[in-house]
Amino acid sequence: MTKHETVSFREAQSRYKGIFAWIFSTDHKRIGLLYLYSIIIFFFTGVILGAAMKLELLAPGKTVMDAATYNAIFTLHGVIMIFLVVIPGLPAIFGNFMLPIMIGAKDVAFPRLNLLSWWIYVIGAIIALSSLFMSGGPPDTGWTFYAPYAFKTNTNMLPAVIGAFILGFSSILTGINFIVTIHRMRAPGMTWFKMPLFPWTLYGTGWIQILATPIVGITLLMIVGERIFSIGFFDPALGGDPILYQHLFWIYSHPAVYIMILPAMGAISEIIPTFANKSIFGYKVIVISTLAIAFVGYFVWGHHMFTSGMSGTALYTFSLLTFIVAIPSAIKVFNWVGTLHKASIQLETPFFWAASFLFVFMIGGLSGLALGALATNVHLHDTAFVVAHFHFIVFGGVGFAFMGAIHYWFPKIWGRMYNSKLATSGWIIFFIGFCTLYLPMFFLGVSGMPRRYYDYVERFHGPNIVSTIGSWVLILGLVIIVYNLIRSAYKGEKASKNPWGGRTLEWSVDSPPTLENFEEIPVVTRGPYDYRKKTEA
Amino acid sequence: MDKQDNNHIIPYKLYLTVLAGLITMTIVSVGVTKIDLGNLSVFVAILLASSKSALVLVFFMHLKFDNTLLKILVTSVFILVALVLFITFLDYNYR
Ligand code: HEM
Ligand SMILES: [Cu+2]
């Protein structure tokens, strides 16, 4: 064994020094961390914008900002959180870092393409956000850029739209990379059905990234064409159809919600068996439901357009399909709960995040069904109820899974342990804040408070105060969590190879892993969650 | 690795036949715009366009000689796009 093989990927020497050793690195682990740090910066920007909106809604009338600013802020908040945070989120960070290790490979199939995707991401992000500093200000259309307003508004639409277009390429490259890696680079013996579930969900996600992203790319270009050349795709005055825009946008953006949630489900499927000390219940069913979600998820986009004036035939088809897509998600919930049944559970922070994921994901999913039914949708569409729904799923589901994942893989990535008391108190405060922030919005939506307004009638005041206080509690929790993780990355106790007793391959390599992950590519003989016999730690 | 039998020889004649097919379909797709087919006009245009891309994929891009996995993947993508278009037209045709 040479020395090169024993130092961790952080200490390994490369051609470049200092920061260049990171931003020009083709090591999948370094790229994963580059994504982590950039995404965290955008996430905090988004959180600040969100908190500003909640502050405005503390009281009716103008509180801290005027209507135009509020409109720009919810647009930026949405663009940042969706395109810059949750879509790359789990795949780009944990997918990059863990996928090769979990399938027993030394890197992804195309390491340079991988680095390119991060660069494209950064460039797209800078362009998208540049409108902030231009006269005219950031767009005020909402993250959905609906026509015809999107080509009428005088704000800086083009940077946001072109930025989102560029970001799409980053997503496509990551998808291609993961699919090829999974097809070609699994360790000997790792058959498809011996592959852990997180890689499986990345596989499903990869296909959505490749096949759905080009559609939004074209659509955004059509908006650009419409604004600059007045072509008439969407403008009724020129013979266009504004609903066509909504179709095209949601043909991508509904599958995109599965780009967000599938890897989150994958991370939960890793955490639960480890802390239950038990093989996952119904492995194959989870795999099949993952693929089913990825497939059926393409055909439900119309549920965002129930009140837009589609034909009756389209309405009930989309409603039916929406109910069908909820089935595979529900199956997974049963599998996770089934895994916990009669298990001797290790109560550690990642497990708390996973358990609370189940709770918020159920609320989010069931409220989705209330929205998916045609009659209730007419009442609830474009109210605070929709905002509550997708925050429960996106922030609650994807966000909680992200938190679970970072607390689960922290010892592997940084080679140190965090203070678990502090981490758990951060979790409970965050969880309480989260519910206080978003539960009142269900109530507000049912009683008729529309979304995307900076003002409301006196009747809605009470629940809005509760909700704003919730946002403060949530931020407090967030600060504790982040403080603890940053401190522990430097000062935490050294972690062993396998602190939680996980069975997947990443727990058999050093913490942090060496540059090439494995001294020797392992030969896989067991299933991924084989808890029958203890392996030596 | 899969077998690398990339050196199958395709007779020029086949290529020329495919080319002729492509050109004919192009002419047909222009000509057909002169006839008013109502709702079917988009369907016909898409059908012609997909047949053309299928020919290109199968012969010019050698899908015919690739392994079964790739064939399955490409076919599934075609089916997916067809379904998406079909559902979209559930709106446009019945509005
Ligand atoms: C059980 C599965 C789900 C069902 C049945 C469902 C249903 C719906 C429906 C019907 C709407 C439209 C409401 C309206 O505007 O009137 C909606 C909105 C939304 N959903 Fe879901 N949903 C589900 C899962 C998800 C998941 C997994 C995510 C993301 C990870 C998600 C994210 C969103 C977002 C972002 C919106 C709002 C988009 C906007 O208008 O800004 N949903 N959902
Ligand atoms: Cu949707």
Side-chain angles (χ1 to χ4, degrees):
Chain A
M1 219 191 304
T2 64
K3 189 162 185 320
H4 164 78
E5 280 166 333
T6 53
V7 301
S8 85
F9 73 98
R10 296 164 173 283
E11 287 127 36
Q13 300 293 317
S14 70
R15 268 193 297 159
Y16 304 101
K17 296 268 159 306
I19 186 164
F20 296 105
W22 285 83
I23 62 175
F24 293 133
S25 169
T26 51
D27 176 11
H28 67 100
K29 300 179 283 302
R30 289 198 177 205
I31 296 174
L33 290 179
L34 283 178
Y35 267 115
L36 174 70
Y37 301 135
S38 9
I39 288 175
I40 284 184
I41 293 172
F42 296 124
F43 174 68
F44 279 107
T45 320
V47 167
I48 292 168
L49 295 171
M53 283 190 278
K54 284 278 80 174
L55 202 59
E56 170 56 38
L57 292 179
L58 187 56
K62 183 178 162 178
T63 318
V64 291
M65 63 183 83
D66 55 26
T69 316
Y70 186 84
N71 293 352
I73 288 190
F74 72 65
T75 305
L76 268 180
H77 171 81
V79 170
I80 293 178
M81 289 304 202
I82 298 278
F83 293 111
L84 298 180
V85 178
V86 278
I87 289 185
L90 279 115
I93 301 172
F94 298 114
N96 262 324
F97 200 106
M98 292 299 168
L99 169 68
I101 312 185
M102 290 178 94
I103 63 171
K106 296 193 168 176
D107 207 318
V108 291
F110 307 116
R112 288 181 190 204
L113 219 53
N114 204 13
L115 178 63
L116 180 67
S117 87
W118 179 76
W119 275 98
I120 295 179
Y121 169 80
V122 172
I123 294 169
I126 291 174
I127 295 181
L129 296 183
S130 62
S131 61
L132 259 179
F133 310 101
M134 297 180 180
S135 70
D140 57 352
T141 56
W143 75 280
T144 46
F145 308 128
Y146 267 15
Y149 186 57
F151 49 86
K152 296 243 162 77
T153 169
N154 290 323
T155 51
N156 290 300
M157 279 299 295
L158 292 184
V161 169
I162 292 171
F165 175 77
I166 294 175
L167 285 167
F169 284 94
S170 159
S171 198
I172 294 172
L173 290 183
T174 306
I176 293 179
N177 224 331
F178 287 180
I179 289 181
V180 178
T181 308
I182 290 171
H183 270 279
R184 311 298 285 180
M185 298 177 68
R186 279 171 289 133
M190 182 171 283
T191 54
W192 282 94
F193 284 115
K194 284 207 176 83
M195 187 162 77
L197 288 163
F198 185 57
W200 260 116
T201 55
L202 292 172
Y203 185 71
T205 309
W207 278 107
I208 309 181
Q209 286 173 309
I210 295 181
L211 296 178
T213 317
I215 300 176
V216 79
I218 301 284
T219 312
L220 295 172
L221 285 189
M222 284 162 93
I223 281 276
V224 175
E226 195 81 344
R227 264 185 91 88
I228 302 182
F229 307 111
S230 303
I231 298 179
F233 296 122
F234 311 126
D235 188 350
L238 298 169
D241 176 18
I243 299 183
L244 177 64
Y245 175 81
Q246 298 188 13
H247 274 302
L248 289 169
F249 182 83
W250 289 112
I251 287 175
Y252 165 72
S253 294
H254 186 84
V257 308
Y258 294 108
I259 298 182
M260 310 167 195
I261 199 71
L262 281 177
M265 292 169 156
I268 297 296
S269 308
E270 298 297 332
I271 296 172
I272 285 187
T274 303
F275 291 89
N277 273 308
K278 221 175 125 202
S279 164
I280 192 137
F281 176 69
Y283 168 86
K284 277 198 184 162
V285 178
I286 299 190
V287 170
I288 292 166
S289 64
T290 299
L291 299 178
I293 292 179
F295 185 70
V296 183
Y298 277 102
F299 309 120
V300 300
W301 74 88
H303 63 215
H304 296 271
M305 308 160 55
F306 283 155
T307 59
S308 304
M310 284 190 302
S311 77
T313 317
L315 288 179
Y316 57 71
T317 311
F318 279 126
S319 184
L320 177 69
L321 289 167
T322 300
F323 274 77
I324 291 177
V325 79
I327 297 173
S329 307
I331 289 178
K332 285 179 192 265
V333 174
F334 286 117
N335 281 302
W336 293 320
V337 175
T339 310
L340 295 175
H341 180 63
K342 290 196 171 164
S344 59
I345 298 170
Q346 249 177 296
L347 291 177
E348 299 278 355
T349 318
F351 178 77
F352 292 133
W353 282 109
S356 48
F357 168 93
L358 293 183
F359 179 78
V360 290
F361 183 71
M362 292 258 291
I363 297 183
L366 292 175
S367 65
L369 288 177
L371 291 166
L374 291 174
T376 37
N377 183 274
V378 175
H379 183 73
L380 296 173
H381 176 67
D382 258 348
T383 67
F385 190 94
V386 175
V387 182
H389 156 69
F390 68 74
H391 280 89
F392 260 86
I393 293 247
V394 183
F395 199 9
V398 186
F400 280 36
F402 181 89
M403 290 290 193
I406 203 163
H407 285 90
Y408 179 53
W409 281 313
F410 187 93
K412 182 56 59 190
I413 299 177
W414 282 276
R416 293 177 185 273
M417 298 302 285
Y418 47 84
N419 178 334
S420 102
K421 275 206 184 108
L422 208 55
T424 305
S425 33
W427 161 74
I428 188 94
I429 295 173
F430 187 98
F431 183 51
I432 293 171
F434 179 86
C435 294
T436 322
L437 170 54
Y438 295 114
L439 279 175
M441 288 197 194
F442 281 122
F443 174 73
L444 284 167
V446 172
S447 34
M449 182 173 149
R451 68 191 275 212
R452 295 182 173 171
Y453 282 88
Y454 89 127
D455 189 10
Y456 51 82
V457 292
E458 187 52 44
R459 192 153 63 86
F460 299 133
H461 198 173
N464 268 303
I465 299 181
V466 178
S467 174
T468 304
I469 294 175
S471 72
W472 300 334
V473 179
L474 180 140
I475 290 176
L476 174 69
L478 204 57
V479 170
I480 296 175
I481 293 164
V482 172
Y483 163 79
N484 182 31
L485 291 184
I486 294 181
R487 204 198 66 102
S488 310
Y490 293 99
K491 302 224 174 89
E493 258 174 68
K494 285 247 183 304
S496 64
K497 273 186 177 180
N498 190 359
W500 316 120
R503 287 292 189 276
T504 37
L505 282 177
E506 78 273 29
W507 302 112
S508 67
V509 303
D510 289 346
S511 306
T514 55
L515 183 62
E516 301 208 308
N517 307 334
F518 301 94
E519 275 158 39
E520 226 176 283
I521 294 296
V523 175
V524 180
T525 51
R526 298 155 159 253
Y529 309 103
D530 187 350
Y531 280 86
R532 278 172 305 182
K533 195 171 132 253
K534 274 246 174 268
T535 50
E536 62 284 13
Chain B
M1 287 283 298
D2 307 289
K3 313 189 274 310
Q4 288 283 299
D5 47 358
N6 273 339
N7 32 358
H8 36 253
I9 315 237
I10 303 175
Y12 274 123
K13 213 171 140 207
L14 183 60
Y15 277 140
L16 289 174
T17 324
V18 174
L19 181 66
L22 289 173
I23 293 173
T24 324
M25 277 194 269
T26 310
I27 296 170
V28 172
S29 60
V30 175
V32 87
T33 55
K34 303 273 186 289
I35 316 165
D36 184 10
L37 294 170
N39 278 345
L40 280 180
S41 58
V42 178
F43 177 73
V44 170
I46 292 176
L47 193 69
L48 284 166
S50 343
S51 324
K52 284 197 298 191
S53 42
L55 281 183
V56 172
L57 275 167
V58 171
F59 294 103
F60 291 172
M61 297 175 79
H62 286 210
L63 192 62
K64 191 166 189 285
F65 313 100
D66 255 316
N67 64 36
T68 333
L69 179 67
L70 269 175
K71 283 180 192 159
I72 295 174
L73 292 181
V74 174
T75 321
S76 325
V77 172
F78 259 74
I79 294 174
L80 183 84
V81 177
L83 283 172
V84 165
L85 286 172
F86 173 75
I87 296 179
T88 312
F89 279 91
L90 287 184
D91 176 16
Y92 282 96
N93 272 352
Y94 295 97
R95 244 195 235 162

